């Protein structure tokens, strides 16, 4: 059974810091991996999608990488801002129909 | 529309009442998922459609839950005889095809009192 683990579970940083969120998965048969943010009481907002043939994707201050051989993905956030405070989820799409969600990293950026 | 639309946004139901939750996916999207997210928890899979075909309903917690997508576009999740443990946010997601990445709706927050 596919397992997706996110480390750390929670992170609190001062504004302006660069930070890295980690996601690991056990099934190497990957279609893609998608990073989302979820604000309290809200739905999921897609941040970055990495296809299995890609190694990284960038959007603004965000950069996501994918290493299939080690079963890892990282989300790098540069120059963090208080508005980045949210729960970040990595979601694995593989050979099984179901999407597999990571446990999430709750990020707090302090002004 | 540009995104996945879910309605109602909030629903309060008395225990034992039937409810219907609607998901309007992005036009042309083939794949559609329903997920249930309890407070403070991650989303849990309910069911998956490819066009009008319900290919996986293994996550539906009981026979009180029923989902349909008769014309391969709008989907409805119906919960009969609601119980307090059904209180959760119900999320819908759609994708053009499997492997393309998913767009989620804002969810329907169901509270059973």
């Amino acid at each position: 059974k596919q397992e997706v683990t996110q480390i750390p579970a929670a992170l609190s940083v001062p504004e302006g810091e660069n930070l890295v969120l980690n996601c690991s998965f056990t099934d190497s048969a990957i279609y893609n991996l998608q990073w989302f943010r979820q604000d309290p009481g809200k739905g999921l907002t897609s941040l970055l999608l990495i296809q299995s043939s890609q190694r990284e994707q960038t959007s603004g201050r965000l950069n996501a990488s994918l290493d299939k051989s080690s079963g890892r993905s990282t989300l790098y956030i540069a120059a963090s801002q208080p508005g980045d405070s949210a729960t970040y989820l990595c979601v694995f799409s593989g050979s099984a129909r179901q999407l597999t969600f990571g446990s999430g990293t709750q990020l707090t950026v302090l002004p | 529309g540009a995104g996945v639309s879910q309605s109602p946004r909030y629903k309060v139901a008395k225990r034992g009442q039937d409810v219907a939750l609607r998901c309007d996916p992005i036009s042309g999207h083939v794949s559609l998922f329903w997920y249930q997210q309890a407070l403070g928890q991650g989303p849990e899979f309910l069911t998956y459609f490819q066009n009008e075909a319900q290919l996986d309903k293994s996550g539906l917690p009981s026979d009180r839950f029923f989902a349909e997508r008769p014309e391969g576009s709008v989907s409805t999740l119906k919960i009969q005889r609601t119980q307090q443990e059904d209180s959760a946010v119900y999320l819908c997601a759609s994708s053009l095809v499997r492997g393309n990445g998913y767009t989620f709706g804002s969810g329907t927050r169901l509270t059973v009192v």
Side-chain angles (χ1 to χ4, degrees):
Chain A
K1 179 187 173 184
Q2 172 67 267
E3 291 185 4
V4 179
T5 305
Q6 289 188 246
I7 295 172
L11 182 63
S12 182
V13 299
E15 182 177 4
E17 275 205 5
N18 302 325
L19 54 100
V20 175
L21 308 182
N22 296 290
C23 173
S24 61
F25 48 92
T26 54
D27 186 354
S28 59
I30 179 173
Y31 276 31
N32 60 57
L33 190 137
Q34 201 166 357
W35 283 92
F36 292 87
R37 68 174 280 169
Q38 187 172 32
D39 295 277
K42 302 288 180 64
L44 279 68
T45 300
S46 181
L47 299 173
L48 290 165
L49 168 69
I50 311 178
Q51 298 289 355
S52 62
S53 58
Q54 298 172 325
R55 291 191 63 85
E56 67 176 336
Q57 283 288 319
T58 298
S59 176
R61 294 182 294 108
L62 306 180
N63 175 275
S65 66
L66 175 65
D67 184 340
K68 289 188 294 182
S69 62
S70 64
R72 289 170 50 181
S73 177
T74 60
L75 178 67
Y76 176 83
I77 303 177
S80 58
Q81 303 171 357
D84 295 331
S85 298
T87 296
Y88 290 78
L89 294 165
C90 68
V91 180
F92 179 98
S93 178
S95 54
R97 289 195 183 93
Q98 300 179 21
L99 302 176
T100 305
F101 287 78
S103 46
T105 294
Q106 187 171 351
L107 173 66
T108 303
V109 180
L110 304 170
Chain B
V4 177
S5 178
Q6 291 188 246
S7 61
R9 185 75 177 87
Y10 302 94
K11 176 69 178 178
V12 178
K14 291 185 178 179
R15 193 172 60 170
Q17 187 179 351
D18 296 349
V19 298
L21 312 181
R22 176 186 169 107
C23 173
D24 204 335
I26 294 173
S27 179
H29 275 200
V30 168
S31 296
L32 186 146
F33 281 98
W34 282 98
Y35 278 81
Q36 179 191 58
Q37 186 174 25
L39 187 64
Q41 304 294 316
E44 295 286 338
F45 170 77
L46 292 177
T47 188
Y48 168 74
F49 288 88
Q50 185 172 301
N51 293 308
E52 70 278 4
Q54 188 175 21
L55 299 184
D56 190 341
K57 56 181 181 179
S58 62
L60 297 177
S62 76
D63 59 8
R64 296 186 296 104
F65 286 70
F66 172 77
E68 61 181 3
R69 194 185 183 197
E71 297 179 357
S73 54
V74 172
S75 178
T76 303
L77 176 67
K78 297 179 180 178
I79 309 174
Q80 297 177 323
R81 305 181 302 282
T82 52
Q83 300 176 6
Q84 280 193 315
E85 60 261 32
D86 300 335
S87 296
V89 175
Y90 291 84
L91 296 168
C92 176
S94 73
S95 176
L96 185 60
V97 293
R98 265 187 77 194
N100 249 40
Y102 284 84
T103 301
F104 279 79
S106 298
T108 292
R109 181 177 295 278
L110 173 65
T111 304
V112 182
V113 297

